[in-house]
Amino acid sequence: MIGISSKLDETVAVAMNRAGHVLATLKGKSCSHVTLGRNMARRRAVEMVDDLMASFGGDRDHCQCLLVGAAGIDSPKTKEVVTECFCAAHMLCPVICLNDGNVALHTTTQGVGMVAVAGKGSIVVGRNPEGLMVRCGGYPITIHGDEGSAQWIALEAMHWASRWLDGSASNSALISAMDQYFSGLDIEKMTECARALRRRPVDTAIAQLVIDCARDGDEAAAHILQKGAGELFEVAHICANQLGFGQEDAFLCGVWGDVFLQSECYLDEYRRLFGHGYPHAQIMLPNKEDAEGCACMAIAWLNGEVPYMAQLQ
């Protein structure tokens, strides 16, 4: 089995045997068509599979499934584009490409419940016991989507810094970190950075500054993270309603992504909000890395444990 986590800024591939033992792991550059375009994404995908196979002397003839969890699969068309990229590796086995939220759902809940993903972007995906699939959020930050994601947090930090430049926000560790990031924070640099967002995404390294400052006790940073967790909870609340999960229902809700994993402040606030809205639900933390989750989902599918695979996008 090969599991591949294809993010906007990196790719991780895992080879695993049918018993679930990892044979090899490889980290590489992004294979995303969103950031690279189709041709470069296709070349990178082929190189990634070739290098993974070479790392442990693997044989394509012995691979039973290649499953990719990718950021940027938002429609049948984008699923087709990603599948085309990885099919270029000339695998003889089935090649299955899914939105990474669907892999996260299976990994944290075994496919019944819901999962909130907060990484560079965000999305909430769910499936109820009757088989209804729901996806909420995941839209670009430019239309106020990716709620509570690293991009959202970075933009909130820039907004807070702009308030400081205007004299309406007090100095803090977060402002000092932003000042260092910009090599001297001033109105001109802030404006230039804001205009550049029309051409490229915000640098999510700023979100890491927020997480680090909150961990050190900065109130402004903690407020941003708590607000972000609240934004994502609102998306999760919509998803739960569409799935028919009520306040008295017991169900699983997974959490997934670097923001949850790196920020206790963010996780604690999300857990608090979810516990208040759905007191009988259980928050499930990930117990596998993304690519391992992909490989394990491939094994489960081969074992007939993912009968709804055809429903997934």
Side-chain angles (χ1 to χ4, degrees), residues 64-112:
Q64 296 177 285
C65 182
L66 188 157
L67 193 146
V68 181
I73 295 183
D74 299 312
S75 66
K77 181 178 180 180
T78 52
K79 179 173 182 173
E80 181 181 335
V81 170
V82 176
T83 303
E84 173 191 294
C85 290
F86 285 94
C87 280
H90 302 297
M91 303 300 293
L92 302 179
C93 63
V95 176
I96 301 171
C97 297
L98 305 172
N99 180 284
D100 52 359
N102 287 320
V103 177
L105 177 66
H106 179 269
T107 303
T108 56
T109 73
Q110 295 300 301
V112 179

Side-chain angles (χ1 to χ4, degrees), residues 153-170:
I153 292 166
L155 291 175
E156 283 290 305
M158 289 180 63
H159 179 65
W160 179 256
S162 72
R163 292 283 184 89
W164 176 77
L165 289 170
D166 289 344
S168 57
S170 58

Side-chain angles (χ1 to χ4, degrees), residues 32-201:
S32 173
H33 71 283
V34 177
T35 53
L36 300 174
R38 281 194 187 191
N39 291 335
M40 179 59 77
R42 189 183 302 113
R43 286 197 293 272
R44 290 262 184 93
V46 172
E47 290 171 3
M48 195 73 187
V49 173
D50 287 344
D51 291 346
L52 178 68
M53 288 293 195
S55 70
F56 72 105
D59 187 338
R60 276 175 165 75
D61 291 347
H62 296 156
C63 187
Q64 296 177 285
C65 182
L66 188 157
L67 193 146
V68 181
I73 295 183
D74 299 312
S75 66
K77 181 178 180 180
T78 52
K79 179 173 182 173
E80 181 181 335
V81 170
V82 176
T83 303
E84 173 191 294
C85 290
F86 285 94
C87 280
H90 302 297
M91 303 300 293
L92 302 179
C93 63
V95 176
I96 301 171
C97 297
L98 305 172
N99 180 284
D100 52 359
N102 287 320
V103 177
L105 177 66
H106 179 269
T107 303
T108 56
T109 73
Q110 295 300 301
V112 179
M114 51 191 290
V115 64
V117 181
K120 192 167 188 176
S122 70
I123 192 170
V124 179
V125 179
R127 179 174 176 269
N128 67 15
E130 291 73 40
L132 174 66
M133 290 288 307
V134 172
R135 160 234 163 108
C136 294
Y139 295 98
I141 197 77
T142 48
I143 57 169
H144 303 289
D146 281 333
E147 296 91 333
S149 67
Q151 291 184 83
W152 185 96
I153 292 166
L155 291 175
E156 283 290 305
M158 289 180 63
H159 179 65
W160 179 256
S162 72
R163 292 283 184 89
W164 176 77
L165 289 170
D166 289 344
S168 57
S170 58
N171 201 356
S172 68
L174 177 58
I175 295 299
S176 297
M178 295 285 285
D179 184 64
Q180 185 175 358
Y181 174 85
F182 280 98
S183 299
L185 183 60
D186 58 36
I187 292 175
E188 183 177 355
K189 288 181 180 178
M190 178 62 69
T191 304
E192 287 177 359
C193 183
R195 288 173 178 162
L197 296 178
R198 300 170 186 171
R199 303 186 300 274
R200 60 177 182 270

Side-chain angles (χ1 to χ4, degrees), residues 114 124 232-242 270 274 277-278:
M114 51 191 290
V124 179
L232 186 57
F233 171 72
E234 288 302 318
V235 179
H237 180 56
I238 293 169
C239 184
N241 284 342
Q242 292 187 21
Y270 185 85
F274 211 93
Y278 302 94

